[in-house]
Amino acid sequence: MFVSLLFIALGSYGVYCAFFDMNRLPTGEFLSKKTSPDGKYTLNTYVVNGGATTSYAVRGELVFNEKNNKSKNIYWNDREEIANITWTDNDTVMINGQELDVPHQKFDFRHQ
């Protein structure tokens, strides 16, 4: 019984890491950055080369400029190599056509 529960727990953790945890995304190469109009946030974008069997992807990292430069991933989309960033107001950013209310919303192509 214990071994079965351990196997299920480890399997569940593996699925979570592979498909849900945006903190485990590959770093990638720096593309661009844009700061919000009030200077509270900066969005850094990176392109990730998936290798021969997968397409390029873009990762967007939100940096909290007023909180000791903490950051979190808020954007992850495959089949992209560029990042068009537009801040529409202090808390709303458009990344390649996806509108996000920061810091609460995220876009992850794996969950669409």
Side-chain angles (χ1 to χ4, degrees):
M1 176 80 166
F2 177 74
V3 174
S4 297
L5 289 175
L6 182 63
F7 181 73
I8 290 170
L10 290 175
S12 298
Y13 180 73
V15 168
Y16 172 78
C17 288
F19 298 107
F20 296 99
D21 189 4
M22 287 187 72
N23 293 321
R24 295 181 162 273
L25 297 175
T27 305
E29 294 181 37
F30 180 78
L31 275 177
S32 61
K33 74 177 181 177
K34 214 161 220 197
T35 302
S36 63
D38 63 358
K40 190 174 178 180
Y41 306 108
T42 298
L43 183 71
N44 296 327
T45 57
Y46 303 86
V47 65
V48 177
N49 181 349
T53 59
T54 33
S55 61
Y56 285 88
V58 170
R59 178 177 67 87
E61 175 186 69
L62 185 68
V63 178
F64 298 85
N65 296 329
E66 297 173 354
K67 295 183 180 178
N68 300 327
N69 292 329
K70 292 183 180 180
S71 64
K72 74 176 192 175
N73 292 321
I74 63 165
Y75 183 82
W76 179 242
N77 202 11
D78 70 341
R79 297 185 177 104
E80 293 181 342
E81 296 182 42
I82 61 168
N84 294 315
I85 306 166
T86 305
W87 286 93
T88 56
D89 61 36
N90 292 332
D91 299 311
T92 308
V93 65
M94 292 280 291
I95 310 166
N96 293 343
Q98 295 292 328
E99 184 177 87
L100 299 174
D101 180 28
V102 295
H104 308 294
Q105 283 186 316
K106 298 187 256 186
F107 176 81
D108 187 340
F109 77 93
R110 300 171 295 181
H111 306 291
Q112 301 306 312

